[in-house]
PDB file of all heavy atoms in Angstrom:
ATOM      1  N   GLU A 454      81.888 100.003 111.784  1.00 96.00           N
ATOM      2  CA  GLU A 454      81.014 100.458 112.921  1.00 96.00           C
ATOM      3  C   GLU A 454      81.719 100.289 114.282  1.00 96.00           C
ATOM      4  O   GLU A 454      81.505 101.106 115.132  1.00 96.00           O
ATOM      5  CB  GLU A 454      79.704  99.634 112.879  1.00 96.00           C
ATOM      6  CG  GLU A 454      78.760 100.030 111.797  1.00 96.00           C
ATOM      7  CD  GLU A 454      77.661  99.065 111.536  1.00 96.00           C
ATOM      8  OE1 GLU A 454      77.460  98.199 112.390  1.00 96.00           O
ATOM      9  OE2 GLU A 454      76.918  99.244 110.472  1.00 96.00           O
ATOM     10  N   ASN A 455      82.463  99.219 114.442  1.00 96.00           N
ATOM     11  CA  ASN A 455      83.096  99.028 115.789  1.00 96.00           C
ATOM     12  C   ASN A 455      84.465  99.671 115.900  1.00 96.00           C
ATOM     13  O   ASN A 455      85.100  99.560 116.970  1.00 96.00           O
ATOM     14  CB  ASN A 455      83.151  97.536 116.100  1.00 96.00           C
ATOM     15  CG  ASN A 455      84.159  96.720 115.300  1.00 96.00           C
ATOM     16  OD1 ASN A 455      85.064  97.273 114.626  1.00 96.00           O
ATOM     17  ND2 ASN A 455      83.932  95.398 115.224  1.00 96.00           N
ATOM     18  N   GLY A 456      84.966 100.313 114.891  1.00 96.00           N
ATOM     19  CA  GLY A 456      86.184 101.061 114.920  1.00 96.00           C
ATOM     20  C   GLY A 456      87.427 100.302 114.549  1.00 96.00           C
ATOM     21  O   GLY A 456      88.501 100.914 114.450  1.00 96.00           O
ATOM     22  N   GLN A 457      87.301  99.027 114.295  1.00 97.00           N
ATOM     23  CA  GLN A 457      88.493  98.245 113.944  1.00 97.00           C
ATOM     24  C   GLN A 457      89.085  98.649 112.605  1.00 97.00           C
ATOM     25  O   GLN A 457      90.299  98.560 112.379  1.00 97.00           O
ATOM     26  CB  GLN A 457      88.150  96.725 113.876  1.00 97.00           C
ATOM     27  CG  GLN A 457      87.943  96.121 115.260  1.00 97.00           C
ATOM     28  CD  GLN A 457      87.628  94.671 115.104  1.00 97.00           C
ATOM     29  OE1 GLN A 457      86.545  94.220 114.614  1.00 97.00           O
ATOM     30  NE2 GLN A 457      88.551  93.775 115.510  1.00 97.00           N
ATOM     31  N   PHE A 458      88.219  99.076 111.703  1.00 97.00           N
ATOM     32  CA  PHE A 458      88.680  99.407 110.348  1.00 97.00           C
ATOM     33  C   PHE A 458      89.583 100.619 110.520  1.00 97.00           C
ATOM     34  O   PHE A 458      90.716 100.593 109.953  1.00 97.00           O
ATOM     35  CB  PHE A 458      87.477  99.780 109.418  1.00 97.00           C
ATOM     36  CG  PHE A 458      87.887 100.197 108.044  1.00 97.00           C
ATOM     37  CD1 PHE A 458      88.073  99.318 107.045  1.00 97.00           C
ATOM     38  CD2 PHE A 458      88.228 101.538 107.799  1.00 97.00           C
ATOM     39  CE1 PHE A 458      88.470  99.710 105.810  1.00 97.00           C
ATOM     40  CE2 PHE A 458      88.559 101.969 106.547  1.00 97.00           C
ATOM     41  CZ  PHE A 458      88.790 101.030 105.537  1.00 97.00           C
ATOM     42  N   ASP A 459      89.139 101.740 111.086  1.00 96.00           N
ATOM     43  CA  ASP A 459      89.974 102.930 111.196  1.00 96.00           C
ATOM     44  C   ASP A 459      91.273 102.660 111.978  1.00 96.00           C
ATOM     45  O   ASP A 459      92.324 103.209 111.652  1.00 96.00           O
ATOM     46  CB  ASP A 459      89.200 104.019 111.852  1.00 96.00           C
ATOM     47  CG  ASP A 459      88.378 104.899 110.847  1.00 96.00           C
ATOM     48  OD1 ASP A 459      88.492 104.646 109.657  1.00 96.00           O
ATOM     49  OD2 ASP A 459      87.652 105.795 111.257  1.00 96.00           O
ATOM     50  N   GLN A 460      91.154 101.806 112.984  1.00 96.00           N
ATOM     51  CA  GLN A 460      92.300 101.442 113.763  1.00 96.00           C
ATOM     52  C   GLN A 460      93.378 100.879 112.932  1.00 96.00           C
ATOM     53  O   GLN A 460      94.565 101.264 112.891  1.00 96.00           O
ATOM     54  CB  GLN A 460      91.979 100.498 114.906  1.00 96.00           C
ATOM     55  CG  GLN A 460      93.050 100.260 115.949  1.00 96.00           C
ATOM     56  CD  GLN A 460      93.276 101.494 116.776  1.00 96.00           C
ATOM     57  OE1 GLN A 460      92.364 102.124 117.214  1.00 96.00           O
ATOM     58  NE2 GLN A 460      94.539 101.763 117.144  1.00 96.00           N
ATOM     59  N   LEU A 461      92.971  99.888 112.054  1.00 96.00           N
ATOM     60  CA  LEU A 461      93.987  99.224 111.127  1.00 96.00           C
ATOM     61  C   LEU A 461      94.390 100.229 110.087  1.00 96.00           C
ATOM     62  O   LEU A 461      95.619 100.319 109.820  1.00 96.00           O
ATOM     63  CB  LEU A 461      93.307  98.009 110.467  1.00 96.00           C
ATOM     64  CG  LEU A 461      94.260  97.298 109.441  1.00 96.00           C
ATOM     65  CD1 LEU A 461      95.406  96.645 110.113  1.00 96.00           C
ATOM     66  CD2 LEU A 461      93.444  96.198 108.675  1.00 96.00           C
ATOM     67  N   PHE A 462      93.444 100.980 109.516  1.00 97.00           N
ATOM     68  CA  PHE A 462      93.877 101.818 108.397  1.00 97.00           C
ATOM     69  C   PHE A 462      94.882 102.884 108.859  1.00 97.00           C
ATOM     70  O   PHE A 462      95.950 103.025 108.261  1.00 97.00           O
ATOM     71  CB  PHE A 462      92.667 102.589 107.818  1.00 97.00           C
ATOM     72  CG  PHE A 462      92.987 103.569 106.805  1.00 97.00           C
ATOM     73  CD1 PHE A 462      93.121 103.136 105.456  1.00 97.00           C
ATOM     74  CD2 PHE A 462      93.204 104.910 107.061  1.00 97.00           C
ATOM     75  CE1 PHE A 462      93.520 103.982 104.409  1.00 97.00           C
ATOM     76  CE2 PHE A 462      93.626 105.785 106.064  1.00 97.00           C
ATOM     77  CZ  PHE A 462      93.743 105.378 104.740  1.00 97.00           C
ATOM     78  N   TYR A 463      94.629 103.576 109.938  1.00 96.00           N
ATOM     79  CA  TYR A 463      95.563 104.595 110.387  1.00 96.00           C
ATOM     80  C   TYR A 463      96.841 104.066 110.970  1.00 96.00           C
ATOM     81  O   TYR A 463      97.920 104.685 110.818  1.00 96.00           O
ATOM     82  CB  TYR A 463      94.847 105.540 111.339  1.00 96.00           C
ATOM     83  CG  TYR A 463      93.848 106.440 110.667  1.00 96.00           C
ATOM     84  CD1 TYR A 463      92.507 106.244 110.835  1.00 96.00           C
ATOM     85  CD2 TYR A 463      94.290 107.454 109.741  1.00 96.00           C
ATOM     86  CE1 TYR A 463      91.558 107.035 110.215  1.00 96.00           C
ATOM     87  CE2 TYR A 463      93.313 108.223 109.098  1.00 96.00           C
ATOM     88  CZ  TYR A 463      91.991 107.997 109.340  1.00 96.00           C
ATOM     89  OH  TYR A 463      91.032 108.827 108.646  1.00 96.00           O
ATOM     90  N   GLN A 464      96.816 102.909 111.579  1.00 94.00           N
ATOM     91  CA  GLN A 464      98.068 102.260 112.023  1.00 94.00           C
ATOM     92  C   GLN A 464      98.965 101.956 110.855  1.00 94.00           C
ATOM     93  O   GLN A 464     100.185 102.176 110.952  1.00 94.00           O
ATOM     94  CB  GLN A 464      97.724 101.028 112.823  1.00 94.00           C
ATOM     95  CG  GLN A 464      97.222 101.231 114.226  1.00 94.00           C
ATOM     96  CD  GLN A 464      96.978  99.933 114.943  1.00 94.00           C
ATOM     97  OE1 GLN A 464      96.905  98.851 114.350  1.00 94.00           O
ATOM     98  NE2 GLN A 464      96.769 100.033 116.275  1.00 94.00           N
ATOM     99  N   ARG A 465      98.385 101.670 109.747  1.00 94.00           N
ATOM    100  CA  ARG A 465      99.164 101.299 108.628  1.00 94.00           C
ATOM    101  C   ARG A 465      99.533 102.511 107.670  1.00 94.00           C
ATOM    102  O   ARG A 465     100.547 102.398 106.939  1.00 94.00           O
ATOM    103  CB  ARG A 465      98.419 100.282 107.688  1.00 94.00           C
ATOM    104  CG  ARG A 465      98.228  98.961 108.337  1.00 94.00           C
ATOM    105  CD  ARG A 465      99.537  98.251 108.717  1.00 94.00           C
ATOM    106  NE  ARG A 465      99.277  97.043 109.444  1.00 94.00           N
ATOM    107  CZ  ARG A 465      98.991  95.913 108.891  1.00 94.00           C
ATOM    108  NH1 ARG A 465      98.928  95.813 107.513  1.00 94.00           N
ATOM    109  NH2 ARG A 465      98.743  94.838 109.571  1.00 94.00           N
ATOM    110  N   HIS A 466      98.835 103.576 107.803  1.00 96.00           N
ATOM    111  CA  HIS A 466      98.987 104.616 106.852  1.00 96.00           C
ATOM    112  C   HIS A 466      99.403 105.990 107.445  1.00 96.00           C
ATOM    113  O   HIS A 466      99.833 106.918 106.734  1.00 96.00           O
ATOM    114  CB  HIS A 466      97.709 104.896 106.010  1.00 96.00           C
ATOM    115  CG  HIS A 466      97.320 103.690 105.147  1.00 96.00           C
ATOM    116  ND1 HIS A 466      96.490 102.715 105.579  1.00 96.00           N
ATOM    117  CD2 HIS A 466      97.755 103.312 103.947  1.00 96.00           C
ATOM    118  CE1 HIS A 466      96.358 101.798 104.610  1.00 96.00           C
ATOM    119  NE2 HIS A 466      97.122 102.151 103.633  1.00 96.00           N
ATOM    120  N   CYS A 467      99.339 106.184 108.746  1.00 96.00           N
ATOM    121  CA  CYS A 467      99.651 107.512 109.326  1.00 96.00           C
ATOM    122  C   CYS A 467     101.107 107.871 109.075  1.00 96.00           C
ATOM    123  O   CYS A 467     101.426 109.024 108.752  1.00 96.00           O
ATOM    124  CB  CYS A 467      99.341 107.509 110.805  1.00 96.00           C
ATOM    125  SG  CYS A 467      97.627 108.053 111.138  1.00 96.00           S
ATOM    126  N   GLU A 468     102.036 106.910 109.171  1.00 95.00           N
ATOM    127  CA  GLU A 468     103.400 107.129 108.878  1.00 95.00           C
ATOM    128  C   GLU A 468     103.599 107.788 107.557  1.00 95.00           C
ATOM    129  O   GLU A 468     104.348 108.804 107.348  1.00 95.00           O
ATOM    130  CB  GLU A 468     104.253 105.858 108.901  1.00 95.00           C
ATOM    131  CG  GLU A 468     105.674 106.020 108.584  1.00 95.00           C
ATOM    132  CD  GLU A 468     106.435 104.690 108.455  1.00 95.00           C
ATOM    133  OE1 GLU A 468     105.839 103.657 108.681  1.00 95.00           O
ATOM    134  OE2 GLU A 468     107.677 104.784 108.064  1.00 95.00           O
ATOM    135  N   PHE A 469     102.880 107.277 106.502  1.00 96.00           N
ATOM    136  CA  PHE A 469     103.038 107.820 105.147  1.00 96.00           C
ATOM    137  C   PHE A 469     102.369 109.201 105.004  1.00 96.00           C
ATOM    138  O   PHE A 469     102.850 110.060 104.295  1.00 96.00           O
ATOM    139  CB  PHE A 469     102.511 106.786 104.140  1.00 96.00           C
ATOM    140  CG  PHE A 469     103.016 105.422 104.405  1.00 96.00           C
ATOM    141  CD1 PHE A 469     102.148 104.280 104.374  1.00 96.00           C
ATOM    142  CD2 PHE A 469     104.417 105.195 104.596  1.00 96.00           C
ATOM    143  CE1 PHE A 469     102.617 103.017 104.577  1.00 96.00           C
ATOM    144  CE2 PHE A 469     104.813 103.881 104.795  1.00 96.00           C
ATOM    145  CZ  PHE A 469     103.953 102.790 104.811  1.00 96.00           C
ATOM    146  N   LEU A 470     101.208 109.318 105.637  1.00 97.00           N
ATOM    147  CA  LEU A 470     100.434 110.601 105.539  1.00 97.00           C
ATOM    148  C   LEU A 470     101.247 111.687 106.199  1.00 97.00           C
ATOM    149  O   LEU A 470     101.351 112.810 105.633  1.00 97.00           O
ATOM    150  CB  LEU A 470      99.125 110.422 106.280  1.00 97.00           C
ATOM    151  CG  LEU A 470      98.030 109.620 105.481  1.00 97.00           C
ATOM    152  CD1 LEU A 470      96.927 109.269 106.482  1.00 97.00           C
ATOM    153  CD2 LEU A 470      97.543 110.407 104.256  1.00 97.00           C
ATOM    154  N   LEU A 471     101.950 111.447 107.275  1.00 97.00           N
ATOM    155  CA  LEU A 471     102.785 112.474 107.933  1.00 97.00           C
ATOM    156  C   LEU A 471     104.047 112.720 107.121  1.00 97.00           C
ATOM    157  O   LEU A 471     104.432 113.890 106.983  1.00 97.00           O
ATOM    158  CB  LEU A 471     103.065 111.979 109.375  1.00 97.00           C
ATOM    159  CG  LEU A 471     101.887 111.874 110.254  1.00 97.00           C
ATOM    160  CD1 LEU A 471     102.219 111.316 111.641  1.00 97.00           C
ATOM    161  CD2 LEU A 471     101.140 113.237 110.401  1.00 97.00           C
ATOM    162  N   LYS A 472     104.659 111.669 106.676  1.00 96.00           N
ATOM    163  CA  LYS A 472     105.909 111.804 105.852  1.00 96.00           C
ATOM    164  C   LYS A 472     105.704 112.673 104.662  1.00 96.00           C
ATOM    165  O   LYS A 472     106.615 113.327 104.206  1.00 96.00           O
ATOM    166  CB  LYS A 472     106.527 110.472 105.473  1.00 96.00           C
ATOM    167  CG  LYS A 472     107.486 109.880 106.381  1.00 96.00           C
ATOM    168  CD  LYS A 472     108.081 108.630 105.771  1.00 96.00           C
ATOM    169  CE  LYS A 472     109.152 107.987 106.619  1.00 96.00           C
ATOM    170  NZ  LYS A 472     109.664 106.775 105.949  1.00 96.00           N
ATOM    171  N   SER A 473     104.521 112.514 103.985  1.00 97.00           N
ATOM    172  CA  SER A 473     104.286 113.164 102.647  1.00 97.00           C
ATOM    173  C   SER A 473     104.209 114.667 102.847  1.00 97.00           C
ATOM    174  O   SER A 473     104.221 115.411 101.824  1.00 97.00           O
ATOM    175  CB  SER A 473     103.071 112.538 102.076  1.00 97.00           C
ATOM    176  OG  SER A 473     101.927 112.692 102.871  1.00 97.00           O
ATOM    177  N   LYS A 474     103.856 115.171 104.052  1.00 96.00           N
ATOM    178  CA  LYS A 474     103.753 116.636 104.232  1.00 96.00           C
ATOM    179  C   LYS A 474     102.810 117.279 103.173  1.00 96.00           C
ATOM    180  O   LYS A 474     103.272 118.224 102.500  1.00 96.00           O
ATOM    181  CB  LYS A 474     105.137 117.273 104.263  1.00 96.00           C
ATOM    182  CG  LYS A 474     106.023 116.737 105.352  1.00 96.00           C
ATOM    183  CD  LYS A 474     107.382 117.427 105.402  1.00 96.00           C
ATOM    184  CE  LYS A 474     108.220 116.851 106.551  1.00 96.00           C
ATOM    185  NZ  LYS A 474     109.654 117.363 106.534  1.00 96.00           N
ATOM    186  N   LEU A 475     101.644 116.775 103.067  1.00 96.00           N
ATOM    187  CA  LEU A 475     100.726 117.275 102.048  1.00 96.00           C
ATOM    188  C   LEU A 475     100.391 118.743 102.237  1.00 96.00           C
ATOM    189  O   LEU A 475     100.152 119.451 101.205  1.00 96.00           O
ATOM    190  CB  LEU A 475      99.395 116.467 102.044  1.00 96.00           C
ATOM    191  CG  LEU A 475      99.642 114.911 101.710  1.00 96.00           C
ATOM    192  CD1 LEU A 475      98.301 114.247 101.764  1.00 96.00           C
ATOM    193  CD2 LEU A 475     100.358 114.719 100.382  1.00 96.00           C
ATOM    194  N   ASP A 476     100.427 119.265 103.453  1.00 94.00           N
ATOM    195  CA  ASP A 476     100.062 120.649 103.644  1.00 94.00           C
ATOM    196  C   ASP A 476     101.121 121.600 103.093  1.00 94.00           C
ATOM    197  O   ASP A 476     100.842 122.808 102.898  1.00 94.00           O
ATOM    198  CB  ASP A 476      99.893 120.901 105.152  1.00 94.00           C
ATOM    199  CG  ASP A 476     101.201 120.585 105.965  1.00 94.00           C
ATOM    200  OD1 ASP A 476     101.885 119.587 105.644  1.00 94.00           O
ATOM    201  OD2 ASP A 476     101.509 121.308 106.918  1.00 94.00           O
ATOM    202  N   LYS A 477     102.287 121.109 102.762  1.00 95.00           N
ATOM    203  CA  LYS A 477     103.343 121.883 102.150  1.00 95.00           C
ATOM    204  C   LYS A 477     103.470 121.733 100.628  1.00 95.00           C
ATOM    205  O   LYS A 477     104.370 122.267 100.024  1.00 95.00           O
ATOM    206  CB  LYS A 477     104.651 121.570 102.824  1.00 95.00           C
ATOM    207  CG  LYS A 477     104.746 122.027 104.245  1.00 95.00           C
ATOM    208  CD  LYS A 477     106.102 121.687 104.914  1.00 95.00           C
ATOM    209  CE  LYS A 477     106.211 122.352 106.254  1.00 95.00           C
ATOM    210  NZ  LYS A 477     105.132 121.952 107.224  1.00 95.00           N
ATOM    211  N   ARG A 478     102.568 120.929 100.028  1.00 98.00           N
ATOM    212  CA  ARG A 478     102.648 120.712  98.613  1.00 98.00           C
ATOM    213  C   ARG A 478     101.682 121.507  97.836  1.00 98.00           C
ATOM    214  O   ARG A 478     100.525 121.800  98.314  1.00 98.00           O
ATOM    215  CB  ARG A 478     102.420 119.120  98.299  1.00 98.00           C
ATOM    216  CG  ARG A 478     103.577 118.331  98.890  1.00 98.00           C
ATOM    217  CD  ARG A 478     103.173 116.826  98.675  1.00 98.00           C
ATOM    218  NE  ARG A 478     104.258 115.974  99.204  1.00 98.00           N
ATOM    219  CZ  ARG A 478     105.239 115.458  98.411  1.00 98.00           C
ATOM    220  NH1 ARG A 478     105.363 115.813  97.162  1.00 98.00           N
ATOM    221  NH2 ARG A 478     106.145 114.669  99.005  1.00 98.00           N
ATOM    222  N   LEU A 479     101.978 121.821  96.533  1.00 98.00           N
ATOM    223  CA  LEU A 479     101.049 122.368  95.649  1.00 98.00           C
ATOM    224  C   LEU A 479     100.231 121.228  95.076  1.00 98.00           C
ATOM    225  O   LEU A 479     100.838 120.265  94.478  1.00 98.00           O
ATOM    226  CB  LEU A 479     101.855 123.035  94.495  1.00 98.00           C
ATOM    227  CG  LEU A 479     100.972 123.705  93.379  1.00 98.00           C
ATOM    228  CD1 LEU A 479      99.988 124.736  93.914  1.00 98.00           C
ATOM    229  CD2 LEU A 479     101.896 124.369  92.345  1.00 98.00           C
TER     230      LEU A 479
END
Side-chain angles (χ1 to χ4, degrees):
E454 289 167 7
N455 68 21
Q457 287 180 292
F458 178 92
D459 273 355
Q460 191 69 40
L461 177 67
F462 177 85
Y463 287 110
Q464 281 179 349
R465 295 298 176 84
H466 296 95
C467 271
E468 176 189 356
F469 311 133
L470 287 165
L471 296 175
K472 266 186 175 181
S473 61
K474 298 179 180 176
L475 299 182
D476 58 323
K477 293 181 168 55
R478 293 175 180 269
L479 178 60

